[in-house]
Amino acid sequence: MKELIAPDPWTVVQEGFDPVENRVYESLFCLGIGLFGGRGNHEEQYSGDTLPGNYLAGIYYPDPTRVGWWKNGYPDYFAKILNAADWKPIHVEVDGEPLDLATAEIHEYRRVLHLRTGELERTFRATLPNGRTVAVEAVRFVSMTRQHLGVIRYRVTPIDADVALHLTLAVDGDVVNEDSNYDEGFWTEVSRSFEGSRVSVVSRTRKTGFLACTAIDYEVRLDGESVGSEPTAVDDRDRYMASVVDVEVAAGQTLAVVKYGANVTSRDVDGDDVTTPCYAELDEAAAIGFELLRTEHRAAWTRKWEISDVVIEGDPAAQQGIRFNIFQLNSTFTGDDPDLNIGPKGFTGEKYGGVTYWDTEAFCLPFYLATSEHEVSRNLLRYRHRQLGKAIENAEKLGFRDGAALYPMVTINGEECHNEWEITFEEIHRNGAIAFAIFNYLRYTGDEAYLLDGGLEVLIAIARFWVQRVSWSEQRDAWVMLGVTGPNEYENNVDNNWYTSLMAQWTLRYTAVALDIARRLDPEAVDRVAAAAGLDEDAERAAWADVADRIHLGEDPERGIFLQQTNFLDKELVTVDDLDPAERPINQHWSWDRILRSPYIKQADVLQGLWVFEDRYDLDTLRRNFDFYEPRTVHESSLSPSVHAVLAVRLGRLAKAHELLLRTARLDLDDYNNDTADGCHTTSMAGTWIAAVQGFGGLQVVDGELRIDPQLAPGWTRLGFQIQFGGAWLSVSADAGSVTVENRGDRNVALRLAGELREVPHQETVTFPGRS
Amino acid sequence: MKELIAPDPWTVVQEGFDPVENRVYESLFCLGIGLFGGRGNHEEQYSGDTLPGNYLAGIYYPDPTRVGWWKNGYPDYFAKILNAADWKPIHVEVDGEPLDLATAEIHEYRRVLHLRTGELERTFRATLPNGRTVAVEAVRFVSMTRQHLGVIRYRVTPIDADVALHLTLAVDGDVVNEDSNYDEGFWTEVSRSFEGSRVSVVSRTRKTGFLACTAIDYEVRLDGESVGSEPTAVDDRDRYMASVVDVEVAAGQTLAVVKYGANVTSRDVDGDDVTTPCYAELDEAAAIGFELLRTEHRAAWTRKWEISDVVIEGDPAAQQGIRFNIFQLNSTFTGDDPDLNIGPKGFTGEKYGGVTYWDTEAFCLPFYLATSEHEVSRNLLRYRHRQLGKAIENAEKLGFRDGAALYPMVTINGEECHNEWEITFEEIHRNGAIAFAIFNYLRYTGDEAYLLDGGLEVLIAIARFWVQRVSWSEQRDAWVMLGVTGPNEYENNVDNNWYTSLMAQWTLRYTAVALDIARRLDPEAVDRVAAAAGLDEDAERAAWADVADRIHLGEDPERGIFLQQTNFLDKELVTVDDLDPAERPINQHWSWDRILRSPYIKQADVLQGLWVFEDRYDLDTLRRNFDFYEPRTVHESSLSPSVHAVLAVRLGRLAKAHELLLRTARLDLDDYNNDTADGCHTTSMAGTWIAAVQGFGGLQVVDGELRIDPQLAPGWTRLGFQIQFGGAWLSVSADAGSVTVENRGDRNVALRLAGELREVPHQETVTFPGRS
């Protein structure tokens, strides 16, 4: 854990330049917006350690698989999100000397990410090796209203001498992925163009054949007047094109450059012409100008915050953490395109490639369900539905048949990319999360018609998988689920992982329920779905029911706990307190076999199930399981603390819950795991929202009923959050004594608040007494 | 399975040239002798598909590890036995046209491996594209008496025209390993030399710095007279040097070339001069000449066969198979050097790198114990003792302490090379085999003094490992062994693998026994060993006894079987008969997860334990376990059928045993697994001997007593084999009615024959009635 960022409710501030932590700051100061984004690299040249990163949503490369020992069923490639052309570079020379923060003497360096407006602001003074001192002020944003566009205003003021400024404004497509498996080049150049201030590079990805045009335009003004020499071109490297201008600037005068960057890919257009629409973006941006672009961008962020903000008063560290997390989530996925999803690092880094993990359904969906228009969540569901064919192929590759589907562990286009057998083939609980997401979407939105628009097909295919995946144990007289890896990846190839089997059981039962719901809506449509899937309804329903009714779910009656896996209690039942702190995190200090046979749990597993189905289990059951598993959980997955936080709140352990919430909320801001340099933990950020709103806010939907039950962590004076629910929009604000609910929607809403059924009329604000 | 080789008792014959199976034949026609060896590549140039391979014992390269996802504890490299300079090339041009079997028209091609004499003979006639026809006869051997030397006699006879022959006699060090992880070059050139007919290349291995000199000399004769132009040099590639001569040969005349090749490495010498001793080998060889070299070589093989031959009359397929296997084993390891071991492919291929697997102790040692001077086996034990420090380091890397040792899964210098966590870290039964080998050596040789010469140290270190590797299960009130992979690699990360736990229990008890034995021999020496190991004898003995007494060994009382692992009976208990033959071998047709959760067993596991400790278990116990596990064993390891064969003989199932013996015996001759192209399964070949001699011969040593109990498979008329035992040498020959034992040693031997105690006086031959 590092103290990099001072707590503040609405900003993330770096005070002073720090070359050692440069990569971490580059991750924290990432800006993205649905279709593209990139790391907080400097505009100027920088000869120090840096991880340049610009990413275009959905543009990937199938990097050939690298393994030591091949196992049947491994995929051929790992899809890597590609480092793409950079639209940002503004290289500056002052009297022939490069402005490079690695060689200059730097004063008053300050970088501010304005969470409220999505703007990155940077100010500093630099004294160059040639003795010249300049003051720089840079403002950057990627437009929330124009998802192809980025804008920079870059101002330079010579302090103590008249200087000649030499500016190189580039599109730099000469980039690589640091984690390429075989050092293959991922891009080939298609064309480069230079037309004065307008410069572009069009590249094509190898193998996948995506086209991408990145183009820039700019204007240079001195005291409001256009200035500068006639631009000249620099194109001395492949996939690189720059426009160069020279300006004489007097001491104290401020040269202002506004640079527009646009990215358009072949995903955005029919046909191959990515340049024309890219240029159109630039034309429009230049016509509107920096100020108006910023105004509309700020207005869009204001709307985003209105429906997604979480207020925590009395705890600026938590407040800052959760806002940073919400900012990243809204930057990464805007929900406009059902072929996009939420990468584990968003646009903040290239690690983990792929895009889609079970994180999406298990952790991110609840956030988007409660804080976005329902179309956003629906597009996450449609993503999986569009990939159903690939999931069925994937299952066939592993020996399943008759339309059973196994969704990939990691994917970008529906094909499996992961290649560790114990995860790729065995961490099958992801199928359960994908099925449950459909139910979760329905209970928040009431949009039952989605079942006929894809939901049912996905449920049937997953139910078929579970039926085939279990085997019959004569000695148990039960269906068993052998050879699985649960959410706790610190156990591999175990039998009867309780969480996995529970999700299977639930899917099998819910699929039958979903068929009933859908048939009530439109029996003929159900018949069409059934016919297309080749569903033998009576026989398959019977099989689903049989497996669901007779699946083995391990319990220890003595301890009153569910068994994470059949042999868990054979382990040495030590706890985290027995660990030498010097050996933590154990994944950096212990050999893999030692971790596997230890009782230490990487992330919520049985407790994950108790969270997913929290309405099913009484508090005593929860307490017994929590008290058994929590002390053995090392939380070495960023996805873990949030689930424990929710359950700790339920058990009234608010201090524990607060500790866990902070750990998630500030994971990247404090570089807790010493890996933020690679990028932020974007999908885990949804866990912060879960801990705050489902945990402290008490948000649940049970049998169609909305429930809240706000409680404040020690030190908190207020907790506020937003809920989208069945077309309604509630804004909740709780202090120590009362809970105020503002119904911003058009219909009255009934909800259960701390156990009491309440009603809030539309467009009204009602204050209720708080929890007694 | 392919029908490549017609059964014959003493030869392996290829009739007709077959470019499609060329790599398979290259494997089968490998020649090696302890210090070097190589594949059966042609002397001539060959433009078709070929796997050139020449290997120098103990000369390796640490190829950096390649994995998809790193796990703590993985080794940095995989030691690859290096493809080394080739001494064999004799490239021939006939009137300017290369003699290349890929382009010539070939007639009467015949290649014969003479097992009795260790000679490879090849004859053919070839019509070249230019119309010239030549007859070729090549004889090759690597000297059993001079382990640095190979010899070729190559004769060419133009059939129908006078021709100009252009001969290029090379040392070709310009070679690569096909399975290099990163296409690194493994060798650098040190020097090359040309002195007329003598040519040499000295190379150094990268990283490991081994030096190797490969040198040749030759003579060319026509009708007994030296002929040919003054040799000229060709050195147009790195690490390549050739001597070229031109000879005019009349139709019907025979040109005879004798080529001597010598290899000397820095392992053989003090200092860096590998050239002088290499030249000395050539000088001596040239002085002795082809015929006498062949005579002494043949005599040495005759002696080898006398003490190691197995005779199977009435079954030429089995006879040929076992002789081919014994030939390979004696070629691969001669037992002179305790730093050498038995590679899984010997000198026949480069796959699997490393050199030493548990195969050595579990399968090869019994063969060498019974068929070699005891120094050979002792050197195999010393190999592990010399690597004890590395085994302790390896265990420390995994979190063990206080002198516990975990021997590597794969090694060449004592360091672990393997990198699949489920094997590297979990297939720990290898430690048991290494401990048991010490006991096995003692019971065959009576050489108890070996305990003080290393045996005790190894046992103590392994016992310490087992004590630390178990953990206490409260619910079982027993020590458990969690997270292991047994010999059946089709289950990974299981709990309480019976075989592994049994070997652990045995080691713990035997280490205490060994301490007692050694103390009787030399109490002060034991004290020195104990002090050096820091042995707290009372406490550690108590811990060994406690773990041994209370270790969990799973049984199913209902079926009366031992449990391969705790959850085995949760599996769907289908058998191999339930498998679709089109899906076999399952490791080529099923995804890994499906294999893991199936009940199918790759190789003997519980039955391996019943074999190792066969004197402990009654026939009913054996039968119940055999009848449960054998039907579920797919024998997809080459190490598997032999163990099952022995047990089948014990159960009187001779037809089954015979089927299993043939599968091992002819694994490579019939290319049973379609992988002989990569090389032969050298270590598995010892299994053939085990099946024949321990199985059908009934050889056992129990409590110091030698037992035999020969039985004949269906169709067999005679089974003969040799036994070295406690300094004695018995030659056994059994037919349907009687067993004849010839005592070739100097002392009388008592043995139990088919249950009856018998004595055979020294230098006498006694015939006993056979099994009733």
Side-chain angles (χ1 to χ4, degrees), chain B residues 363-402:
Chain B
F363 296 91
C364 301
L365 182 70
F367 166 78
Y368 293 108
L369 272 175
T371 65
S372 310
E373 301 77 16
H374 292 322
E375 187 63 17
V376 172
S377 312
R378 189 180 169 106
N379 273 341
L380 287 176
L381 267 53
R382 289 172 70 203
Y383 178 90
R384 296 292 192 180
H385 177 244
R386 290 157 86 107
Q387 297 183 350
L388 177 59
K390 293 284 186 192
I392 291 172
E393 279 175 28
N394 184 46
E396 283 169 353
K397 203 168 149 188
L398 304 187
F400 298 88
R401 55 197 187 283
D402 303 329

Coordinates of all heavy atoms in Angstrom, one line a residue, chain B residues 363-402:
Chain B
F363 N 11.6 -48.6 -12.7 CA 11.5 -49.6 -13.8 C 12.9 -50.1 -14.2 O 13.1 -51.3 -14.5 CB 10.8 -49.0 -15.0 CG 9.3 -48.7 -14.6 CD1 9.0 -47.5 -14.1 CD2 8.4 -49.7 -14.7 CE1 7.7 -47.2 -13.7 CE2 7.1 -49.5 -14.3 CZ 6.7 -48.2 -13.8
C364 N 13.9 -49.2 -14.4 CA 15.2 -49.6 -14.9 C 16.0 -50.4 -13.9 O 16.7 -51.3 -14.2 CB 15.9 -48.4 -15.5 SG 15.0 -47.5 -16.8
L365 N 16.0 -49.9 -12.7 CA 16.9 -50.5 -11.7 C 16.7 -52.0 -11.6 O 17.7 -52.7 -11.5 CB 16.7 -49.8 -10.3 CG 17.6 -50.3 -9.2 CD1 19.1 -49.9 -9.5 CD2 17.2 -49.8 -7.9
P366 N 15.5 -52.5 -11.5 CA 15.3 -54.0 -11.4 C 16.1 -54.7 -12.5 O 16.7 -55.7 -12.3 CB 13.8 -54.2 -11.4 CG 13.3 -52.9 -10.9 CD 14.2 -51.8 -11.4
F367 N 16.0 -54.1 -13.7 CA 16.7 -54.8 -14.8 C 18.2 -54.8 -14.6 O 18.8 -55.8 -14.7 CB 16.4 -54.0 -16.1 CG 17.3 -54.4 -17.3 CD1 17.1 -55.6 -18.0 CD2 18.3 -53.6 -17.7 CE1 17.9 -55.9 -19.0 CE2 19.1 -53.9 -18.7 CZ 19.0 -55.1 -19.4
Y368 N 18.8 -53.6 -14.3 CA 20.2 -53.6 -14.1 C 20.7 -54.4 -12.9 O 21.7 -55.0 -12.9 CB 20.7 -52.1 -14.1 CG 20.5 -51.4 -15.4 CD1 19.6 -50.4 -15.5 CD2 21.3 -51.7 -16.5 CE1 19.4 -49.7 -16.7 CE2 21.2 -51.0 -17.7 CZ 20.2 -50.0 -17.8 OH 20.1 -49.4 -19.0
L369 N 19.8 -54.4 -11.9 CA 20.2 -55.2 -10.7 C 20.4 -56.6 -11.0 O 21.3 -57.3 -10.6 CB 19.0 -55.1 -9.6 CG 19.1 -53.9 -8.6 CD1 17.8 -53.9 -7.8 CD2 20.3 -54.0 -7.8
A370 N 19.5 -57.2 -11.8 CA 19.5 -58.6 -12.1 C 20.4 -59.0 -13.3 O 20.8 -60.2 -13.4 CB 18.1 -59.1 -12.4
T371 N 20.8 -58.0 -14.1 CA 21.5 -58.4 -15.3 C 22.9 -57.7 -15.5 O 23.5 -57.8 -16.6 CB 20.7 -58.0 -16.6 OG1 20.5 -56.6 -16.6 CG2 19.3 -58.7 -16.5
S372 N 23.3 -57.0 -14.4 CA 24.6 -56.3 -14.5 C 25.4 -56.6 -13.3 O 24.9 -57.0 -12.2 CB 24.5 -54.8 -14.7 OG 23.6 -54.5 -15.6
E373 N 26.7 -56.3 -13.4 CA 27.5 -56.2 -12.2 C 26.9 -55.2 -11.2 O 26.3 -54.2 -11.7 CB 29.0 -55.7 -12.5 CG 29.7 -56.6 -13.5 CD 29.3 -56.4 -14.9 OE1 28.6 -55.4 -15.2 OE2 29.5 -57.4 -15.7
H374 N 27.0 -55.4 -9.9 CA 26.2 -54.5 -9.0 C 26.7 -53.1 -9.0 O 26.0 -52.2 -8.6 CB 26.2 -55.1 -7.6 CG 25.4 -56.4 -7.5 ND1 24.3 -56.5 -8.2 CD2 25.6 -57.5 -6.8 CE1 23.8 -57.8 -8.0 NE2 24.6 -58.4 -7.1
E375 N 27.9 -52.9 -9.5 CA 28.5 -51.5 -9.6 C 27.6 -50.6 -10.5 O 27.4 -49.4 -10.3 CB 29.9 -51.6 -10.2 CG 30.6 -50.2 -10.2 CD 30.9 -49.7 -8.8 OE1 30.8 -50.4 -7.8 OE2 31.1 -48.5 -8.7
V376 N 26.9 -51.3 -11.5 CA 26.1 -50.5 -12.4 C 24.9 -49.9 -11.6 O 24.6 -48.7 -11.7 CB 25.6 -51.4 -13.5 CG1 24.5 -50.7 -14.4 CG2 26.7 -51.9 -14.4
S377 N 24.2 -50.8 -10.8 CA 23.1 -50.3 -10.0 C 23.6 -49.3 -8.9 O 22.9 -48.3 -8.7 CB 22.4 -51.4 -9.3 OG 22.2 -52.5 -10.2
R378 N 24.7 -49.6 -8.4 CA 25.2 -48.7 -7.3 C 25.5 -47.3 -7.9 O 25.2 -46.3 -7.2 CB 26.5 -49.3 -6.8 CG 27.1 -48.6 -5.6 CD 28.4 -49.3 -5.1 NE 29.0 -48.5 -4.1 CZ 29.1 -48.8 -2.8 NH1 28.5 -49.9 -2.4 NH2 29.7 -48.1 -2.0
N379 N 25.9 -47.3 -9.1 CA 26.1 -45.9 -9.7 C 24.8 -45.2 -9.9 O 24.7 -44.0 -9.9 CB 26.9 -46.1 -11.0 CG 28.4 -46.0 -10.8 OD1 28.8 -45.6 -9.7 ND2 29.2 -46.5 -11.7
L380 N 23.7 -45.9 -10.2 CA 22.4 -45.3 -10.3 C 22.0 -44.7 -8.9 O 21.4 -43.6 -8.9 CB 21.3 -46.3 -10.8 CG 21.4 -46.6 -12.3 CD1 20.4 -47.7 -12.6 CD2 21.3 -45.4 -13.1
L381 N 22.3 -45.4 -7.9 CA 22.1 -44.9 -6.5 C 22.9 -43.7 -6.2 O 22.5 -42.7 -5.6 CB 22.3 -45.9 -5.5 CG 21.0 -46.8 -5.0 CD1 20.3 -47.4 -6.2 CD2 21.4 -47.9 -4.1
R382 N 24.2 -43.8 -6.6 CA 25.1 -42.7 -6.3 C 24.7 -41.4 -7.0 O 24.9 -40.3 -6.5 CB 26.6 -43.1 -6.7 CG 27.1 -44.2 -5.7 CD 28.5 -44.7 -6.3 NE 29.5 -43.7 -6.2 CZ 30.6 -43.7 -6.9 NH1 30.8 -44.6 -7.8 NH2 31.5 -42.7 -6.8
Y383 N 24.2 -41.6 -8.2 CA 23.7 -40.4 -9.0 C 22.7 -39.6 -8.1 O 22.9 -38.4 -8.0 CB 22.9 -41.0 -10.2 CG 22.3 -39.9 -11.1 CD1 23.0 -39.3 -12.1 CD2 21.0 -39.5 -10.9 CE1 22.5 -38.4 -13.0 CE2 20.4 -38.6 -11.7 CZ 21.2 -38.0 -12.8 OH 20.6 -37.1 -13.6
R384 N 21.8 -40.3 -7.4 CA 20.8 -39.5 -6.6 C 21.5 -39.0 -5.4 O 21.2 -37.9 -4.9 CB 19.7 -40.4 -6.2 CG 18.8 -40.9 -7.3 CD 18.0 -39.8 -8.0 NE 17.0 -40.4 -8.9 CZ 16.2 -39.7 -9.6 NH1 16.2 -38.3 -9.6 NH2 15.3 -40.3 -10.4
H385 N 22.4 -39.7 -4.8 CA 23.1 -39.2 -3.6 C 23.9 -38.0 -3.9 O 23.9 -37.0 -3.2 CB 24.0 -40.3 -3.0 CG 24.8 -39.8 -1.9 ND1 26.2 -39.7 -1.9 CD2 24.4 -39.3 -0.7 CE1 26.6 -39.2 -0.7 NE2 25.5 -39.0 0.0
R386 N 24.6 -38.0 -5.1 CA 25.3 -36.8 -5.5 C 24.4 -35.6 -5.7 O 24.9 -34.4 -5.7 CB 26.1 -37.1 -6.7 CG 27.3 -38.1 -6.5 CD 27.7 -38.8 -7.7 NE 28.7 -38.0 -8.5 CZ 30.0 -38.4 -8.6 NH1 30.4 -39.4 -7.9 NH2 30.8 -37.7 -9.3
Q387 N 23.2 -35.8 -5.9 CA 22.3 -34.7 -6.2 C 21.4 -34.4 -5.0 O 20.5 -33.6 -5.1 CB 21.4 -35.0 -7.4 CG 22.2 -35.2 -8.7 CD 21.4 -35.4 -9.9 OE1 20.2 -35.7 -9.8 NE2 22.0 -35.4 -11.1
L388 N 21.8 -34.9 -3.8 CA 21.0 -34.7 -2.6 C 20.9 -33.2 -2.3 O 19.8 -32.7 -1.9 CB 21.5 -35.5 -1.5 CG 20.8 -35.4 -0.1 CD1 19.3 -35.7 -0.2 CD2 21.5 -36.2 1.0
G389 N 22.0 -32.5 -2.4 CA 22.0 -31.1 -2.0 C 21.0 -30.3 -2.9 O 20.2 -29.5 -2.3
K390 N 20.9 -30.7 -4.1 CA 20.0 -30.0 -5.0 C 18.5 -30.4 -4.7 O 17.6 -29.6 -4.8 CB 20.3 -30.4 -6.5 CG 21.6 -29.9 -7.0 CD 21.5 -28.4 -7.3 CE 22.8 -27.9 -8.0 NZ 22.8 -26.5 -8.1
A391 N 18.4 -31.6 -4.2 CA 17.0 -32.1 -3.9 C 16.5 -31.4 -2.6 O 15.4 -31.0 -2.5 CB 17.0 -33.6 -3.7
I392 N 17.5 -31.1 -1.7 CA 17.1 -30.3 -0.5 C 16.8 -28.9 -0.9 O 15.8 -28.3 -0.4 CB 18.3 -30.4 0.5 CG1 18.4 -31.8 1.1 CG2 18.1 -29.4 1.7 CD1 19.6 -32.1 2.0
E393 N 17.6 -28.3 -1.8 CA 17.3 -26.9 -2.3 C 15.9 -26.9 -2.9 O 15.2 -25.9 -2.8 CB 18.3 -26.5 -3.3 CG 19.6 -26.0 -2.7 CD 20.7 -25.7 -3.8 OE1 20.2 -25.4 -5.0 OE2 21.9 -25.8 -3.6
N394 N 15.7 -27.9 -3.7 CA 14.4 -27.9 -4.4 C 13.2 -27.9 -3.4 O 12.2 -27.2 -3.6 CB 14.3 -29.2 -5.3 CG 13.1 -29.3 -6.1 OD1 12.7 -28.3 -6.7 ND2 12.4 -30.4 -6.1
A395 N 13.4 -28.7 -2.3 CA 12.3 -28.8 -1.3 C 12.2 -27.4 -0.6 O 11.1 -27.0 -0.3 CB 12.6 -29.9 -0.3
E396 N 13.4 -26.8 -0.4 CA 13.3 -25.5 0.3 C 12.6 -24.5 -0.5 O 11.8 -23.7 0.0 CB 14.8 -25.0 0.5 CG 15.4 -25.7 1.7 CD 16.9 -25.4 1.8 OE1 17.4 -24.7 0.9 OE2 17.5 -25.8 2.8
K397 N 12.8 -24.6 -1.8 CA 12.1 -23.6 -2.7 C 10.6 -23.8 -2.6 O 9.8 -22.8 -2.8 CB 12.5 -24.0 -4.2 CG 12.4 -23.0 -5.2 CD 13.2 -23.4 -6.4 CE 12.5 -22.8 -7.7 NZ 13.1 -23.4 -8.9
L398 N 10.1 -25.0 -2.2 CA 8.7 -25.2 -2.1 C 8.2 -25.1 -0.6 O 7.1 -25.4 -0.3 CB 8.3 -26.6 -2.6 CG 8.8 -26.9 -4.0 CD1 8.2 -28.3 -4.5 CD2 8.3 -25.9 -5.0
G399 N 9.1 -24.6 0.2 CA 8.7 -24.3 1.6 C 9.0 -25.4 2.6 O 8.6 -25.2 3.8
F400 N 9.7 -26.4 2.2 CA 10.1 -27.4 3.2 C 11.4 -27.0 3.8 O 12.1 -26.1 3.3 CB 10.3 -28.8 2.5 CG 9.0 -29.3 2.0 CD1 8.6 -28.9 0.7 CD2 8.1 -30.0 2.7 CE1 7.4 -29.4 0.1 CE2 6.9 -30.4 2.2 CZ 6.5 -30.1 0.9
R401 N 11.8 -27.6 4.9 CA 13.0 -27.1 5.7 C 13.7 -28.2 6.4 O 13.3 -29.4 6.2 CB 12.5 -26.0 6.6 CG 11.4 -26.5 7.6 CD 10.6 -25.4 8.3 NE 9.8 -26.1 9.3 CZ 8.6 -26.7 8.9 NH1 8.2 -26.7 7.7 NH2 7.9 -27.4 9.8
D402 N 14.7 -27.8 7.1 CA 15.4 -28.8 8.0 C 15.9 -30.0 7.2 O 15.8 -31.1 7.7 CB 14.5 -29.2 9.1 CG 14.0 -28.1 9.9 OD1 14.7 -27.1 10.0 OD2 12.9 -28.1 10.5

